[in-house]
Amino acid sequence: MDQRPDSLIGDAKGSLRLSLRAKREALPASDRAAFSRRITEMLLALPEYRQAETVLAYMSMGAEFDTDTFARRVRADGKALVLPRVNRAERRLDLYLVEDLENQLAPGVWDIREPSPMRCELVSPETIDFALVPGLGFDARGGRLGYGGGFYDRLLVALPAATPRVAATFSAQVIESVPMGARDQYVDLIVTENGPARAQR
């Protein structure tokens, strides 16, 4: 955990978010697509994924690692696919079982494709046994820099302790150190186009 006061950690995170977002968006689209394909194959080969029955993923946006193929493979592999929906009133992510990516999703907060609560079954975080976690930046300890809302930090606390928290990201997003506050949650494994790496804490 970072020992700086929360206000200084917040300032450091803000600067990092700007620089890492710019760095990611500067990657050529063709590279992002190629890296996403490579990362997806490595995710699918992980023992943690292969053993999982219920997989939490997310629908990517912008220049993020493209999660579409991964989500479709989860369904094709016969696993339960769970996706988050932003609950702004409660400041949390609600989780829904998704069986049809074409017809059960709709643009939600920030135009992210989210499950439609009228078409999907609400599920408990306790059912998740593999969690794919987004982020703007990561470090070798598994430190994660999110987008600033704290939604995933609150969700990760609610998952079973044994559930692997896995980040899929481009190597350009892996930095020396992510400023971590008291409520910030770590990931266990980081998969980039260069391969998987377990968090060293």
Side-chain angles (χ1 to χ4, degrees):
M1 186 178 71
D2 201 305
Q3 298 302 308
R4 287 175 289 177
D6 286 346
S7 59
L8 292 182
I9 290 176
D11 291 345
K13 285 182 177 181
S15 299
L16 266 178
R17 285 190 184 100
L18 289 173
S19 63
L20 286 171
R21 192 187 297 267
K23 193 186 237 186
R24 188 179 66 188
E25 291 177 356
L27 289 171
S30 58
D31 285 356
R32 292 199 305 267
F35 294 165
S36 290
R37 288 192 294 271
R38 202 177 306 167
I39 291 167
T40 296
E41 289 308 312
M42 287 186 280
L43 287 172
L44 297 170
L46 291 173
E48 293 89 343
Y49 170 79
R50 296 170 73 87
Q51 294 163 9
E53 295 181 0
T54 303
V55 174
L56 172 66
Y58 60 94
M59 301 312 291
S60 51
M61 62 176 181
E64 286 183 325
F65 156 70
D66 188 345
T67 61
D68 280 55
T69 300
F70 177 76
R72 293 178 192 284
R73 281 292 300 273
V74 171
R75 293 286 304 135
D77 288 343
K79 301 178 187 293
L81 173 65
V82 174
L83 296 176
R85 178 181 176 84
V86 175
N87 182 332
R88 296 188 79 169
E90 302 291 335
R91 291 193 57 77
R92 68 168 188 251
L93 295 174
D94 293 332
L95 305 183
Y96 290 87
L97 180 67
V98 174
E99 298 178 334
D100 185 343
L101 286 163
E102 305 301 331
N103 297 306
Q104 290 185 325
L105 304 184
V109 178
W110 305 298
D111 271 343
I112 301 170
R113 289 164 293 164
E114 296 180 334
S116 168
M118 303 298 293
R119 300 174 186 171
C120 301
E121 176 188 347
L122 185 67
V123 298
S124 167
E126 295 176 0
T127 64
I128 306 300
D129 49 21
F130 181 96
L132 188 69
V133 183
L136 273 167
F138 301 89
D139 65 27
R141 300 169 302 151
R144 171 185 170 271
L145 180 70
Y147 288 88
F151 289 96
Y152 268 90
D153 291 313
R154 287 187 283 276
L155 174 61
L156 293 178
V157 170
L159 297 181
T163 298
R165 283 85 164 148
V166 181
T169 190
F170 307 129
S171 59
Q173 307 305 112
V174 179
I175 61 176
E176 183 176 349
S177 180
V178 171
M180 298 289 285
R183 294 186 181 88
D184 296 333
Q185 300 297 304
Y186 290 80
V187 297
D188 304 306
L189 186 65
I190 301 168
V191 182
T192 74
E193 71 275 10
N194 297 325
R198 301 200 177 275
Q200 303 297 315
R201 290 200 294 279

